[in-house]
Amino acid sequence: MGDLREYATDVTKPEVAVFVSGVASMGLEILAGRIVAPQYGSSIYTWGSIIAVFLAALSLGYHYGGKRAASRATTDRLIRLFVLTAGYVAVVIFADDLLLAAAAAMPLPYRFASLPAVILLFGLPTYLLGFVSPYAAQLSEKEGVGEASGHVYAVGTIGSIVGAFGTTFFLIPALGIDRIALAFGLLLTATAVWLAAPRLRRRSVFAALAVSLVLVAAVASGSLGFSTGGKVVYQTQTPYQELEVADLGDTRTLYLDGQRHSAMDKSDPDRHVFDYTRYFHAPYLFADDPDDIDRVLFVGGGGFTGPKRFVEEYNATVDVVEIDPEVIDVAERYFGVEESEQLNVHNADGRQFLRETDREYDLIVLDAYKKDKVPFQLTTVEFMQLANDRLSEEGMLFANLISAPDGSASQFYRAEYKTMARVFPQVYAFPTSETGAVQNIELVATKNDTRITEAQLRERNDRRDIGIDLSAEIESYRHDESTDDVPVLTDDHAPVDSLMDPMMGQRYVVEESERNESEDRPRARDARPGASVAPSESAFDLELAAPGSGPATPDLGPALTAASTTA
């Protein structure tokens, strides 16, 4: 304790400046992921660009700061560095959307598309913060270059740790992006004022106060740019993503990181707004007896479209595991989800839940993929084996993924197909659009060795009362895909980001059901009514992030158009 107390008393103003620069630089790095993700996704390429830019900018600052420290390192220049950095943070708050749009105009391959945006938004402030450490080392009262440098970099590293933990575990769950940026900006200006004490240099204090006012004004006025279509009902930052609920007409949509993930018809909450969610019922045709599907697990909740409809339609007990607690809370408050004896909601990671549970399921629905980021640990052969172990003897795994059915953009789909086929005797595929564009593709994997033909599915659809008519969906039946050129995904090697790379910049088609599905279920739930009316659908196109651009904004006409991976 004595050594620690002595160390604390040895920290001077320059070292405090280094501590604050460490807090701010690492905090801004964590925050960068939240600012850039809605435009470019949160893939490994985005995070790699963020880390590389911050390291490069800091290195340049260290280099040029070190060259100038002997002749230019003064307290006044430290103050100036903090004020200038805070000023640029105000620019980021006020015009981040415009800066992102400007960066998106650069024609780069998808994996590098976020790089100009990160440089434009965070390169300059991080570069300025890089000057602080060498200046502080020069101004340090420590004897010898080695002792001064070691002391400065130890304090700076501690600041970085505080910035990383504080931003990740406290600021992001509690505040919005603009308010977090405001907090860092005010921290920088407050440090500048503190450095100016006790003489309180008038010019420095005035500049710090002026920038503080600009920071507050930037947050109060809101950022320039584009907002989500429709009336925003709720918006927050969760530990995992930016979340927004918006209403457009009778359609309520859940946005995660600026992308549409679920939609609900407020006049008919159990209706499948997106056509691909109708395929969730396909396992009831693959089962020898649909009544044998007594327990269902959904990995991924979103707006709970599938779980709600299953509870309404069938007598099965439905468990839902969702990693983001805020998504669960929003589903209950805005999407009519109510836990009951039939519906159980668990806040956990899907793979961890399966590993720890002793329950056995007749159907597992894997619905946790985003269109631009897939949790690789839910794609591998080890995960498929874990799911297989938690299924009953005749159990099935249903996976909703986004890919193209053919061509170079189909690599992820075919790799996942190949991976599932390593564990399950039979795998079936159902593209949800007749086009060859990027789309939702539904995979059904069964433990049954006997292949179910398309004709058998049609016969069962005509004969069985499963509450929904899937005759149109059965037409997309596929099997025996070519997988020689794609890998089996494993925990050791699951290159999902590179497999998804060819999808970027290609058209993404989502089909939206337009009719009231009450015609599919004319009788009570326990009767399991059949359906005879084919759905009326319309196709809506979206753009995945093209090289050098973010996702295109669709034409929000009478019917909401939406890209979704989580129902």
Side-chain angles (χ1 to χ4, degrees):
M1 283 293 292
D3 292 341
L4 182 61
R5 199 176 295 112
E6 181 182 354
Y7 180 84
T9 58
D10 284 344
V11 177
T12 61
K13 284 189 174 182
E15 279 79 39
V16 171
V18 172
F19 176 83
V20 172
S21 71
V23 172
S25 62
M26 186 56 70
L28 289 173
E29 184 171 349
I30 301 296
L31 191 63
R34 291 306 179 93
I35 294 177
V36 175
Q39 182 83 2
Y40 297 98
S42 52
S43 70
I44 191 173
Y45 301 126
T46 299
W47 276 108
S49 296
I50 291 170
I51 294 170
V53 167
F54 272 76
L55 289 176
L58 284 173
S59 296
L60 285 173
Y62 295 152
H63 174 69
Y64 288 109
K67 291 179 66 174
R68 300 175 184 178
S71 60
R72 304 190 64 181
T74 63
T75 301
D76 282 341
R77 285 197 169 90
L78 279 178
I79 293 171
R80 193 177 305 162
L81 287 170
F82 282 106
V83 172
L84 288 173
T85 304
Y88 200 87
V89 171
V91 173
V92 171
I93 294 173
F94 187 70
D96 58 340
D97 285 339
L98 294 181
L99 294 174
L100 285 169
M106 299 186 183
L108 294 174
Y110 167 73
R111 62 179 62 190
F112 302 111
S114 63
L115 195 56
V118 180
I119 294 173
L120 188 59
L121 286 165
F122 299 101
L124 180 58
T126 309
Y127 170 74
L128 293 174
L129 290 175
F131 278 75
V132 174
S133 291
Y135 277 24
Q138 182 68 34
L139 297 172
S140 175
E141 298 175 359
K142 298 295 181 183
E143 294 183 4
V145 176
E147 184 181 3
S149 300
H151 192 66
V152 163
Y153 289 121
V155 172
T157 301
I158 294 171
S160 296
I161 294 171
V162 172
F165 275 89
T167 306
T168 302
F169 295 101
F170 298 102
L171 294 181
I172 286 179
L175 302 173
I177 289 174
D178 287 350
R179 293 190 178 186
I180 297 172
L182 172 65
F184 286 126
L186 293 179
L187 174 64
L188 293 168
T189 56
T191 303
V193 172
W194 182 80
L195 288 172
R199 289 190 294 133
L200 290 178
R201 302 168 179 82
R202 183 178 301 176
R203 195 169 162 188
S204 299
V205 173
F206 177 79
L209 293 177
V211 171
S212 297
L213 290 175
V214 173
L215 283 162
V216 174
V219 173
S221 65
S223 63
L224 293 176
F226 309 98
S227 60
T228 300
K231 177 184 177 182
V232 176
V233 178
Y234 179 74
Q235 187 176 41
T236 188
Q237 290 287 329
T238 83
Y240 300 92
Q241 55 215 333
E242 182 184 53
L243 184 151
E244 181 178 287
V245 179
D247 288 349
L248 185 62
D250 284 335
T251 302
R252 171 163 291 172
T253 304
L254 172 67
Y255 294 81
L256 299 178
D257 281 338
Q259 301 170 10
R260 298 166 182 84
H261 275 256
S262 301
M264 179 184 74
D265 185 339
K266 292 188 292 183
S267 62
D268 186 3
D270 294 320
R271 181 175 77 86
H272 291 293
V273 175
F274 300 148
D275 182 66
Y276 80 87
T277 59
R278 294 170 58 89
Y279 290 79
F280 289 178
H281 300 265
Y284 285 88
L285 299 182
F286 280 95
D288 289 337
D289 184 349
D291 290 325
D292 288 340
I293 302 180
D294 293 322
R295 195 169 193 106
V296 180
L297 172 67
F298 278 80
V299 179
F304 284 64
T305 301
K308 285 194 302 180
R309 182 66 182 266
F310 273 42
V311 168
E312 174 68 22
E313 205 68 60
Y314 308 120
N315 288 323
T317 299
V318 179
D319 291 345
V320 181
V321 56
E322 167 60 51
I323 194 171
D324 193 335
E326 189 67 26
V327 169
I328 296 174
D329 182 60
V330 164
E332 292 173 347
R333 284 193 289 161
Y334 298 103
F335 290 85
V337 174
E338 295 182 8
E339 285 199 71
S340 63
E341 292 183 1
Q342 197 176 350
L343 177 62
N344 308 295
V345 181
H346 307 271
N347 177 211
D349 171 78
R351 182 160 175 171
Q352 181 183 5
F353 178 85
L354 280 174
R355 187 170 56 247
E356 296 177 354
T357 187
D358 57 359
R359 295 170 184 164
E360 184 178 83
Y361 294 95
D362 303 302
L363 172 63
I364 295 176
V365 179
L366 180 57
D367 192 27
Y369 299 163
K370 291 184 179 181
K371 73 185 178 82
D372 58 1
K373 184 181 180 183
V374 172
F376 83 91
Q377 70 273 17
L378 300 183
T379 68
T380 64
V381 68
E382 290 86 355
F383 172 78
M384 300 304 167
Q385 185 59 60
L386 176 61
N388 183 75
D389 294 342
R390 296 295 180 268
L391 287 169
S392 60
E393 186 177 349
E394 297 296 325
M396 287 170 279
L397 175 67
F398 181 101
N400 170 43
L401 57 89
I402 290 181
S403 188
D406 301 290
S408 61
S410 69
Q411 291 180 31
F412 173 58
Y413 151 58
R414 292 184 295 111
E416 190 74 316
Y417 184 101
K418 185 176 185 177
T419 302
M420 294 172 71
R422 282 291 178 94
V423 177
F424 293 91
Q426 299 292 345
V427 180
Y428 308 84
F430 295 87
T432 58
S433 172
E434 294 181 359
T435 71
V438 174
Q439 59 191 272
N440 291 80
I441 300 178
E442 315 307 328
L443 297 178
V444 180
T446 72
K447 286 188 169 185
N448 195 327
D449 290 331
T450 305
R451 176 163 290 280
I452 305 298
T453 66
E454 182 178 349
Q456 287 176 295
L457 290 178
R458 290 192 177 283
E459 186 273 330
R460 291 177 179 183
N461 183 66
D462 293 338
R463 176 167 50 87
R464 293 180 177 178
D465 292 333
I466 65 168
I468 191 168
D469 177 19
L470 298 178
S471 57
E473 286 72 16
I474 293 172
E475 292 181 4
S476 62
Y477 175 99
R478 292 172 63 138
H479 64 90
D480 295 335
E481 296 287 6
S482 174
T483 59
D484 292 340
D485 61 332
V486 292
V488 172
L489 304 177
T490 67
D491 285 351
D492 181 61
H493 183 63
V496 292
D497 290 291
S498 61
L499 291 170
M500 296 170 65
D501 197 17
M503 294 164 44
M504 303 306 157
Q506 296 208 23
R507 195 163 55 108
Y508 174 34
V509 173
V510 180
E511 294 193 350
E512 183 174 326
S513 181
E514 293 181 330
R515 71 187 179 92
N516 190 319
E517 290 182 0
S518 61
E519 300 173 28
D520 272 341
R521 46 184 195 277
R523 291 180 282 164
R525 179 181 62 191
D526 291 342
R528 290 190 175 177
S532 58
V533 182
S536 171
E537 302 160 359
S538 59
F540 297 95
D541 299 343
L542 294 174
E543 291 291 335
L544 289 173
S549 70
T553 303
D555 179 17
L556 299 175
L560 176 68
T561 66
S564 171
T565 56
T566 302

